[in-house]
Amino acid sequence: GAGVSQSPSNKVTEKGKDVELRCDPISGHTALYWYRQRLGQGLEFLIYFQGNSAPDKSGLPSDRFSAERTGESVSTLTIQRTQQEDSAVYLCASSVETSGAIHEQFFGPGTRLTVL
Amino acid sequence: AQSVTQLGSHVSVSEGALVLLRCNYSSSVPPYLFWYVQYPNQGLQLLLKYTSAATLVKGINGFEAEFKKSETSFHLTKPSAHMSDAAEYFCAVSITGGGNKLTFGTGTQLKVEL
């Protein structure tokens, strides 16, 4: 079966522009996560969706960042008015439902965002 | 809040030598611990995980890790390094009730030399 896919694989944009990053989770996975990996740093949690529950947005660094998820399917991470410090690899992961247990997260290949 | 510290951003070993990658965690509740590997231009792949069962956890590709509560450590080892083990390794922690979100260390780049 297909793994987690992300598009685009690379995105170069100018400072101040908006960008949208897409994630297609593994079919049947109700949980979806976004992480950010800046150069020389570990992965930072951004946001988490679990089924119909309200998303956990506690990791979003500013109100320029937002994400949506359509049902238990595709998710889009939007960054408005991009800044150079937003340059990073954005990783999406999915897992089976997480109520009361810890499950493996499967990661996509990431989107490399470069803000000029 | 939980956190992870990986000692050594770069580790170099000879092929056939022992691999030891260090990870220490901080958590106010019993943690779940993970090691992920990232090969160049690929996504993260789970090597192994500790979920409060056996303290010695065996993973893929001959790797294993031991959970030591007294030392708050979860070091990753492999008896004999192979060239194909060259990659970046991330330790991560999660807690129940935390929504399964992972808190990662800064990673250790493993280099394997002939």
Side-chain angles (χ1 to χ4, degrees):
Chain A
V4 177
S5 61
Q6 294 185 245
S7 60
S9 56
N10 281 284
K11 176 71 176 179
V12 179
T13 191
E14 293 179 348
K15 178 181 173 180
K17 296 285 181 69
D18 297 352
V19 295
E20 282 190 354
L21 312 180
R22 176 187 169 106
C23 172
D24 282 90
I26 293 172
S27 178
H29 281 190
T30 58
L32 186 147
Y33 312 79
W34 283 97
Y35 295 88
R36 176 171 71 173
Q37 184 177 21
R38 288 189 283 189
L39 188 64
Q41 301 184 27
L43 283 78
E44 306 167 72
F45 166 77
L46 296 177
I47 188 169
Y48 157 61
F49 296 90
Q50 170 58 63
N52 295 320
S53 302
D56 177 349
K57 303 180 182 180
S58 60
L60 294 178
S62 78
D63 58 8
R64 296 187 296 104
F65 287 72
S66 63
E68 293 184 347
R69 187 179 187 192
T70 307
E72 294 182 354
S73 181
V74 172
S75 175
T76 302
L77 176 69
T78 301
I79 308 173
Q80 296 179 308
R81 306 182 301 282
T82 53
Q83 302 295 312
Q84 289 183 330
E85 63 262 28
D86 299 334
S87 295
V89 176
Y90 289 82
L91 292 163
C92 176
S94 70
S95 76
V96 297
E97 71 87 28
T98 62
S99 301
I102 300 292
H103 296 284
E104 177 182 355
Q105 295 181 28
F106 293 82
F107 283 80
T111 293
R112 182 175 298 277
L113 174 66
T114 303
V115 182
L116 301 177
Chain B
Q2 59 274 20
S3 66
V4 168
T5 301
Q6 290 184 243
L7 296 176
S9 59
H10 292 81
V11 170
S12 183
V13 300
S14 300
E15 189 175 35
L18 171 71
V19 176
L20 171 61
L21 305 182
R22 299 179 184 274
C23 172
N24 288 88
Y25 70 90
S26 173
S27 176
S28 58
V29 299
Y32 294 84
L33 295 159
F34 305 79
W35 276 100
Y36 280 85
V37 60
Q38 188 175 34
Y39 297 103
N41 300 315
Q42 295 187 30
L44 275 77
Q45 179 181 5
L46 182 68
L47 271 180
L48 49 80
K49 62 182 178 182
Y50 166 76
T51 58
S52 76
T55 56
L56 182 62
V57 180
K58 295 187 183 298
I60 61 172
N61 301 337
F63 284 93
E64 64 181 35
E66 185 171 9
F67 173 71
K68 292 187 177 180
K69 183 178 179 180
S70 61
E71 298 177 8
T72 61
S73 69
F74 190 58
H75 301 331
L76 181 70
T77 60
K78 181 174 180 177
S80 177
H82 191 272
M83 295 297 289
S84 61
D85 295 326
E88 189 155 22
Y89 292 80
F90 292 93
C91 183
V93 63
S94 182
I95 59 172
T96 53
N100 204 30
K101 60 190 178 189
L102 295 167
T103 300
F104 284 86
T106 51
T108 298
Q109 186 72 45
L110 176 65
K111 182 179 179 180
V112 182
E113 299 174 318
L114 288 172

